[in-house]
Amino acid sequence: MAEPAVTRTAVLDDREHALRLFRQMALVRRFEERTEEQYTRARIGGYCHLAIGEEAASIGAIDALDEGDALFASYRDHATALAVGSPPAAVMAELFGKDTGVARGRGGSMHLLDVERRFFGGWGIVGAHLPIATGAALAFTYRDEPHAVLCQFGDGAMATGAYHEALNLASLWNLPIVFQVINNQYGMGTRVDQSNAEPELAKHGATYRIHGERVDGNDVLAVREAAARLLAQAREERRPSLFETVTYRYRGHSVADAGKVYRTPEEVQSWRERDPITRYGLLLGEREIATGADLETIWDEVAAEVKDAISEALAASFPSRDSLYEHLYGDDEWREQFGRMAAGAPFGERGEEPEWQT
Ligand SMILES: Cc1ncc(C[n+]2csc(CCOP(=O)(O)OP(=O)(O)O)c2C)c(N)n1
Ligand SMILES: [Mg+2]
């Protein structure tokens, strides 16, 4: 197996890198807290899933990506977009449905993307992006490109057929992909050990004869080190792996779930005591990389950044009505297709042409 590309010691030896990880996690935490507030102010429509508590699992792995690698994520994707460097104002604008959003206001919370930064979404259907990410890994192999794919998904996705098909093919075809399961203990209100006969999810890799590895997903350096090693293995040895990062979401499944019925306050508290940002901040203090005052400054800076992101997103315009059919796949037939989908028009059974088609 490939050696770690950057070990935890190496990250700590590079102050700028060590602080960047802290800043990114702090930015996500503040962004998500303010997002929750914006949702209650009815500025965000549809679903909205927060990643508060899961920052290290997501950011630690993304930090290990090299230029040219590709990234896919589930609908819990705000941290993903911020971690690849999408401007917070463009992420917030997307949540608000504004034209300046990362998906031009068409995607919303679950469908963030930043193709320039090689983040290919934000997918709303549980498990559906695994075959797509596997296809991207096949494309790298097919074109003889030396990159790898990181595909992040929740523990619940492992119950879908798409998951099994993706891992099976990735192993059979020796594809360069790291399947990262972000095990946050629940799929909606169902605990992992209620839905998996083998709740140590990394062990499922054996089913496809791929390397499985479980790490503490609340330890950003452990996540980073393992992800770097597994991505290097994917690039150099063209082998997939199943990478389990064990973490917890403090909030409910989505903003519509208070998260109180299926778990106890004690359980939530026990995870808060292992908070990924607090722990990492303490480590930075112990190693004399940052003082408490340095970290406070970072918290203040990210809070200001999120505040500005909200103001900018609020000031932006909604997409114009005329642009409704822009950015769609399709040819001249699209008008007919959309005509058939008009309100009250069962597929192909509508008698009259819609007015705008005539
Ligand atoms: C195929 C499919 N089935 C069901 C749903 C409804 N659903 C949305 S999120 C979710 C739970 C998924 O949990 P997990 O994969 O653990 O991700 P987490 O929400 O914990 O990040 C379900 C069942 C869906 N979106 N897609
Ligand atoms: Mg889950």
Side-chain angles (χ1 to χ4, degrees):
M1 177 157 309
E3 285 299 305
V6 178
T7 60
R8 55 192 295 140
T9 327
V11 172
L12 292 176
D13 285 346
D14 176 353
R15 184 168 189 266
E16 196 195 319
H17 192 170
L19 291 181
R20 189 175 72 229
L21 285 176
F22 186 88
R23 176 182 293 273
Q24 282 184 334
M25 292 199 289
L27 173 66
V28 168
R29 179 67 60 94
R30 287 290 174 265
F31 185 95
E32 294 289 61
E33 287 167 354
R34 296 295 312 270
T35 293
E36 189 174 34
E37 174 204 283
Q38 297 303 302
Y39 190 89
T40 61
R41 299 180 72 167
R43 289 172 175 165
I44 299 172
Y47 288 101
C48 188
H49 309 82
L50 305 171
I52 297 177
E54 303 179 16
E55 294 89 349
S58 178
I59 288 165
I62 292 170
D63 191 66
L65 288 170
D66 273 356
E67 210 172 320
D69 291 341
L71 173 65
F72 292 77
S74 76
Y75 45 82
R76 200 177 293 283
D77 59 353
H78 308 169
T80 326
L82 293 172
V84 298
S86 305
V91 180
M92 192 59 83
E94 189 58 40
L95 306 189
F96 288 179
K98 299 291 184 80
D99 203 32
T100 54
V102 290
R104 309 286 301 267
R106 272 105 171 138
S109 163
M110 297 202 283
H111 305 107
L112 304 179
L113 84 167
D114 194 329
V115 173
E116 246 172 61
R117 294 180 174 86
R118 305 187 64 78
F119 167 37
F120 297 103
W123 296 81
I125 303 298
V126 173
H129 61 298
L130 276 75
I132 299 168
T134 304
L138 175 62
F140 285 149
T141 298
Y142 195 75
R143 296 179 187 159
D144 213 9
E145 290 175 357
H147 313 303
V149 175
L150 175 65
C151 179
Q152 300 184 322
F153 52 92
D155 41 276
M158 290 177 65
T160 67
Y163 158 86
H164 293 285
E165 292 176 19
L167 270 79
N168 191 49
L169 283 183
S171 180
L172 282 171
W173 294 346
N174 294 311
L175 299 182
I177 179 165
V178 175
F179 293 102
Q180 184 191 356
V181 52
I182 299 187
N183 177 357
N184 62 4
Q185 315 298 319
Y186 292 92
M188 299 187 97
T190 307
R191 253 193 359 252
V192 166
D193 62 0
Q194 291 171 321
S195 54
N196 284 279
E198 173 48 87
E200 286 183 45
L201 302 177
K203 290 187 177 168
H204 291 221
T207 314
Y208 302 105
R209 294 201 172 177
I210 65 175
H211 175 68
E213 184 161 335
R214 173 181 247 213
V215 303
D216 177 352
N218 278 11
D219 176 346
V220 70
L221 295 183
V223 174
R224 203 219 175 272
E225 183 172 312
R229 181 164 32 74
L230 297 174
L231 284 163
Q233 177 192 302
R235 289 184 210 104
E236 290 155 26
E237 298 169 28
R238 316 308 281 181
R239 282 299 290 163
S241 55
L242 178 59
F243 178 38
E244 179 187 7
T245 43
V246 182
T247 183
Y248 199 75
R249 62 164 158 74
Y250 300 154
R251 297 294 196 271
H253 166 70
S254 73
V255 283
D257 165 32
K260 291 185 175 155
V261 179
Y262 48 86
R263 58 188 193 175
T264 62
E266 291 74 27
E267 179 181 302
V268 182
Q269 183 53 31
S270 74
W271 283 91
R272 279 188 183 282
E273 282 158 20
R274 296 199 273 141
D275 183 83
I277 308 181
T278 310
R279 266 172 75 182
Y280 187 54
L282 287 172
L283 179 72
L284 294 178
E286 272 166 29
R287 300 292 175 92
E288 298 182 354
I289 293 167
T291 63
D294 292 335
L295 300 182
E296 272 313 309
T297 305
I298 293 177
W299 281 114
D300 290 345
E301 285 169 0
V302 296
E305 212 179 324
V306 176
K307 188 166 180 261
D308 290 348
I310 294 170
S311 311
E312 224 178 284
L314 275 177
S317 316
F318 288 105
S320 73
R321 234 171 207 238
D322 297 345
S323 71
L324 186 61
Y325 299 128
E326 287 173 10
H327 313 297
L328 298 172
Y329 285 111
D331 47 28
D332 292 345
E333 303 291 303
W334 64 264
R335 282 183 173 273
E336 194 209 331
Q337 179 192 348
F338 277 90
R340 282 191 276 131
M341 287 166 68
F347 287 99
E349 293 171 17
R350 170 194 267 270
E352 301 157 27
E353 290 292 293
E355 227 174 81
W356 50 265
Q357 261 195 352
T358 52

